[in-house]
Amino acid sequence: MLELPNTSVINGNAVRWGAMGDGPPLVAIHGTPFSSQVWRRIVPHFFDHRRVYYFDLVGYGYSEKREGQDVSLGVQNEVLAALFQEWELDRPDVLAHDFGGATALRAYYLNGLRYGSLTIFDAVALAPWGSPLVQHVHEHAEAFAGMPEYMHKAMLRAYLQTAAHNELLEEALEIYAAPWIGPVGQPAFYRQIAQMDQKYTDEVQRLYGALDCPVSVLWGACDEWIPYEKGEVLAGLISGEDCIPVPQAGHLVQEDCPEAIVAAVLKQILGR
């Protein structure tokens, strides 16, 4: 498990984060419904080359969760910009997945953040997006938040499994489910789904163009949440290079094929 010993209060939200390793900075940004623990088998490979910063998005993992909290994509890029300032970062390498990809892109185009490189995969970046569960919860968020805990746990574990192409280990299921269980976690899980809104990607989709840094786009070839074809389109818009398919990997490439992510980042940071 990655340790998150630090807390920063940003726009009234307590954000948990950690940093390890030596060298120029690298920032890892997770997606939904996960946490910074998706990087636990990946970022240690970079500690000899980079000072790696990782954090839990607002309303996710072990960052603060509370009733009435704004945890939308409209908030997350502002948090990222504030963390960049607190960490005194100048063009760090960035690794981003899913909502983390949307956050990195929004921060680049809307907040003016600049990166040394961007490795982005299975990102929420192009309309339309949103699984059948997301669409259903939008209409019945209160009912879901009040489900009996045993029903919620069963649904949550089944949902997490759909992110991976291969069967998730019990350890992984427990790690990803833990923040969303209990009187605080369960309503927070449905809160973040209820606040998913395509308008936040529509805001930046029209701005997409080649970034002023090396960009690698990877995609799980078997992603059932966001199809590989979206990766091909995104790669053409922001990198000018082909999207790299990851065979036998679903949306959660960190579990299905972590070595593909490690290889892509090392190629970026060691190839310059």
Side-chain angles (χ1 to χ4, degrees):
M1 295 285 285
L2 294 175
E3 296 182 358
L4 294 97
N6 308 295
T7 302
S8 297
V9 178
I10 301 172
N11 296 333
N13 297 293
V15 177
R16 295 282 297 273
W17 62 273
M20 295 184 69
D22 296 303
L26 183 153
V27 179
I29 316 170
H30 72 84
T32 179
F34 307 104
S35 71
S36 57
Q37 297 308 322
V38 292
W39 309 120
R40 70 194 185 283
R41 295 194 296 158
I42 293 170
V43 296
H45 292 278
F46 312 137
F47 290 165
D48 290 339
H49 310 285
R50 290 292 187 270
R51 176 72 168 169
V52 183
Y53 294 84
Y54 49 88
F55 66 101
D56 286 344
L57 294 170
V58 168
Y60 291 77
Y62 293 97
S63 288
E64 182 182 8
K65 306 180 189 70
R66 66 177 187 275
E67 185 177 354
Q69 185 180 28
D70 184 352
V71 299
S72 70
L73 280 172
V75 167
Q76 307 298 350
N77 56 293
E78 302 295 338
V79 170
L80 182 63
L83 288 173
F84 266 47
Q85 183 174 13
E86 179 174 339
W87 296 335
E88 299 181 340
L89 300 183
D90 180 27
R91 286 189 173 268
D93 296 295
V94 172
L95 172 61
H97 172 239
D98 186 80
F99 264 30
T103 296
L105 292 172
R106 284 177 57 84
Y108 180 90
Y109 291 106
L110 301 181
N111 298 88
L113 298 191
R114 290 297 178 260
Y115 312 136
S117 70
L118 174 64
T119 303
I120 186 170
F121 62 102
D122 301 80
V124 174
L126 298 168
W129 53 268
S131 68
L133 175 67
V134 167
Q135 295 166 15
H136 194 62
V137 170
H138 274 169
E139 300 176 13
H140 309 285
E142 268 190 51
F144 275 92
M147 273 199 306
E149 186 175 61
Y150 74 91
M151 292 176 61
H152 167 68
K153 286 182 177 179
M155 189 283 302
L156 175 60
R157 289 168 66 91
Y159 179 59
L160 289 168
Q161 179 57 64
T162 66
H165 178 65
N166 303 305
E167 186 173 354
L168 290 173
L169 296 176
E170 181 62 26
E171 174 197 47
L173 281 170
E174 290 182 0
I175 288 171
Y176 298 140
W180 303 123
I181 292 171
V184 174
Q186 181 170 331
F189 177 75
Y190 298 107
R191 182 182 308 123
Q192 55 93 19
I193 293 180
Q195 292 185 30
M196 292 181 187
D197 196 322
Q198 191 174 290
K199 70 181 182 181
Y200 297 115
T201 51
D202 290 345
E203 279 182 331
V204 290
Q205 185 170 334
R206 59 186 175 81
L207 303 175
Y208 289 164
L211 276 69
D212 63 349
C213 66
V215 176
S216 290
V217 180
L218 293 79
W219 221 269
C222 305
D223 190 338
E224 295 183 2
W225 285 15
I226 308 176
Y228 172 76
E229 290 72 24
K230 292 281 189 182
E232 292 183 311
V233 174
L234 182 64
L237 289 171
I238 68 172
S239 75
E241 302 289 338
D242 292 337
C243 180
I244 302 169
V246 184
Q248 301 302 307
H251 187 73
L252 194 56
V253 183
Q254 296 97 323
E255 294 296 329
D256 284 328
C257 194
E259 61 271 22
I261 303 169
V262 173
V265 175
L266 286 176
K267 183 178 179 180
Q268 285 279 35
I269 67 178
L270 299 181
R272 300 202 306 275

